């Protein structure tokens, strides 16, 4: 039986485990950032301060700081333990993605293209208080062609892998800001990018009804997982060759279909064979984000219905051999 986390009033936008997996962070369109114990679903606390929908959340390697980006045109840094706001970085448009690099010293976040403002990818070094105080990133990369819709740090913090509205995936150097590599495998907007536990691969989820696996360093396209609905999020299992995907239709089309045909299940695919082998029902609307627990024995999903669900399962239960 899944654990149901009820702490948001509007749809969930992102969920993130810390490295040990004992904490689960969730953000939604209702300005609240929640942190939960992943083992029993107890709410540990909230980070209050944002005044708009919170689009993204990240936690650093040693679970000291939390980073959130919001539609209130700000990216905020929090003390994980006390919930105190450590830094407020104001932007001219909504912050769509954010993340700590492996060291936890450098943060990146991207802003939306709206109200006449460009989409920018900003890098701040947290070891330099002057940058935070002056709200002046050491590197700001304009993305004029197509805005960034999701982004993660590559291995060793040398570059950021960003998915764009156009379906392109690009590597942006964290030192110079130049585009190192580009891959165009998707035909529509990329909704989510997540990396594998060892950072060697990333998986992208797109509106073109597929999720694709790429090599982080070369952006070489490895696998494709096809569904018949837009994919909002996908995650790679840390211990098995499994991928979980969540999706459904666009939020605005949901009201026109019944739950039964809405296809709101989390879907499991085999990472090597590209075959679907399981589905898990649960949400009353599209799944906006999915994430495997770092130990691989559970996964959680956040939906348009405002709930976060933690599902425990035996990963070896699915350990099947395909016939030659």
């Amino acid at each position: 039986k899944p654990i149901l986390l009820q702490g948001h009033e509007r749809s969930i936008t992102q969920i993130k485990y810390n490295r040990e997996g004992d904490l689960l962070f969730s953000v939604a369109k209702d300005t609240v950032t929640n942190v939960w114990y992943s083992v029993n679903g107890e709410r540990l606390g909230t980070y209050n301060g944002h005044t708009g929908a919170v689009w993204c959340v990240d936690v650093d390697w040693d679970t000291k700081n939390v980073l959130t980006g919001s539609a209130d045109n700000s990216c905020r840094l929090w003390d994980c333990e006390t919930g105190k706001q450590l830094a407020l970085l104001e932007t001219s448009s909504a912050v769509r993605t954010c993340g700590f690099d492996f060291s936890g010293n450098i943060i990146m976040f991207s802003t939306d293209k709206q109200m006449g403002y460009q989409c920018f990818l900003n890098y701040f070094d947290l070891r330099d208080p002057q940058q935070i105080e002056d709200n002046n990133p050491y590197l700001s990369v304009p993305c004029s062609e197509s805005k960034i819709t999701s982004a993660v740090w590559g291995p060793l913090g040398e570059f950021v892998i960003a998915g764009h509205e156009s379906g392109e995936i690009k590597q942006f150097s964290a030192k110079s800001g130049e585009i190192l590599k580009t891959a165009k495998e998707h035909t529509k907007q990329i909704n989510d990018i997540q990396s594998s536990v060892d950072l060697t691969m990333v998986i992208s989820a797109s509106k073109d009804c597929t999720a694709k696996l790429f090599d982080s360093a070369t952006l070489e396209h490895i696998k494709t997982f096809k569904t018949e609905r837009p994919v909002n999020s996908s995650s790679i299992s840390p211990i098995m060759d499994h991928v979980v995907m969540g999706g459904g239709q666009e939020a605005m089309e949901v009201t026109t279909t019944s739950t039964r045909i809405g296809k709101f299940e989390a879907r499991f695919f085999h990472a090597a064979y590209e075959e679907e082998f399981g589905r898990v029902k649960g949400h009353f609307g599209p799944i906006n984000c999915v994430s495997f627990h770092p130990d691989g024995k559970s996964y959680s999903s956040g939906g348009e219905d405002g709930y976060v669900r933690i599902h425990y399962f035996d990963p070896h239960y699915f350990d099947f051999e395909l016939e030659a």
Side-chain angles (χ1 to χ4, degrees):
K1 196 167 180 259
I3 303 173
L4 197 62
L5 312 184
Q6 300 172 301
H8 291 286
E9 288 166 10
R10 294 187 60 197
S11 47
I12 311 292
T13 49
Q14 196 176 19
I15 49 180
K16 232 356 162 339
Y17 283 101
N18 63 343
R19 181 176 55 94
E20 292 84 12
D22 58 332
L23 299 180
L24 177 64
F25 296 84
S26 64
V27 291
K29 292 181 181 170
D30 61 1
T31 74
V32 181
T33 304
N34 282 324
V35 53
W36 316 79
Y37 280 123
S38 66
V39 62
N40 59 2
E42 182 189 338
R43 181 157 75 171
L44 192 60
T46 56
Y47 302 93
N48 294 323
H50 280 297
T51 54
V54 187
W55 289 118
C56 52
V57 61
D58 196 23
V59 52
D60 63 5
W61 201 72
D62 48 10
T63 319
K64 216 168 103 205
N65 296 333
V66 179
L67 189 66
T68 55
S70 162
D72 64 6
N73 299 359
S74 74
C75 185
R76 293 172 197 240
L77 185 71
W78 312 85
D79 182 299
C80 181
E81 197 178 349
T82 61
K84 188 168 160 278
Q85 183 174 304
L86 302 175
L88 165 63
L89 302 167
E90 293 187 340
T91 57
S92 41
S93 57
V95 176
R96 180 67 55 175
T97 64
C98 65
F100 289 98
D101 79 334
F102 195 68
S103 66
N105 292 326
I106 299 194
I107 59 167
M108 64 87 186
F109 61 86
S110 74
T111 58
D112 269 357
K113 187 174 172 178
Q114 64 189 59
M115 303 184 304
Y117 290 105
Q118 279 240 54
C119 162
F120 281 99
L121 178 61
N122 295 315
Y123 295 92
F124 280 87
D125 192 328
L126 298 178
R127 292 165 296 190
D128 178 5
Q130 204 58 47
Q131 283 181 29
I132 307 294
E133 214 169 292
D134 301 347
N135 200 5
N136 185 21
Y138 76 82
L139 188 58
S140 190
V141 188
C143 311
S144 46
E145 299 98 58
S146 162
K147 77 167 190 182
I148 294 177
T149 47
S150 60
V152 289
W153 278 94
L156 305 174
E158 288 169 2
F159 51 82
V160 163
I161 302 169
H164 292 256
E165 208 169 19
S166 61
E168 285 183 308
I169 294 179
K170 293 180 181 169
Q171 286 180 354
F172 291 93
S173 162
K175 296 194 172 59
S176 64
E178 65 183 310
I179 296 171
L180 304 174
K181 292 199 170 57
T182 302
K184 179 85 167 79
E185 295 288 339
H186 286 291
T187 53
K188 290 186 180 163
Q189 174 179 319
I190 291 170
N191 291 325
D192 181 35
I193 287 190
Q194 292 191 29
S195 36
S196 59
V197 67
D198 58 1
L199 302 182
T200 56
M201 295 186 294
V202 292
I203 189 163
S204 58
S206 166
K207 268 189 184 166
D208 65 8
C209 307
T210 63
K212 292 180 190 275
L213 209 54
F214 294 88
D215 182 292
S216 314
T218 62
L219 286 194
E220 185 192 344
H221 174 222
I222 307 170
K223 297 282 178 191
T224 298
F225 310 98
K226 293 190 179 79
T227 66
E228 60 292 328
R229 292 293 159 113
V231 186
N232 292 338
S233 180
S234 50
S235 182
I236 306 169
S237 167
I239 55 170
M240 307 286 283
D241 291 333
H242 295 165
V243 167
V244 64
M245 290 155 55
Q249 324 101 303
E250 295 281 314
M252 51 201 225
E253 294 164 19
V254 172
T255 47
T256 57
T257 52
S258 82
T259 356
R260 195 169 32 113
I261 50 176
K263 304 260 193 317
F264 303 137
E265 303 115 332
R267 304 170 68 155
F268 284 82
F269 282 77
H270 194 285
Y273 303 127
E274 304 184 359
E275 293 203 352
E276 185 177 352
F277 61 83
R279 293 188 182 188
V280 180
K281 288 194 172 66
H283 285 281
F284 302 108
I287 295 175
N288 291 341
C289 41
V290 289
S291 180
F292 268 108
H293 189 286
D295 70 3
K297 297 195 176 108
S298 66
Y299 81 94
S300 48
S301 54
E304 194 67 31
D305 54 9
Y307 294 129
V308 177
R309 303 172 77 96
I310 302 177
H311 295 264
Y312 282 88
F313 62 93
D314 176 6
H316 300 282
Y317 174 72
F318 295 130
D319 204 10
F320 53 94
E321 291 296 319
L322 286 180
E323 309 206 352

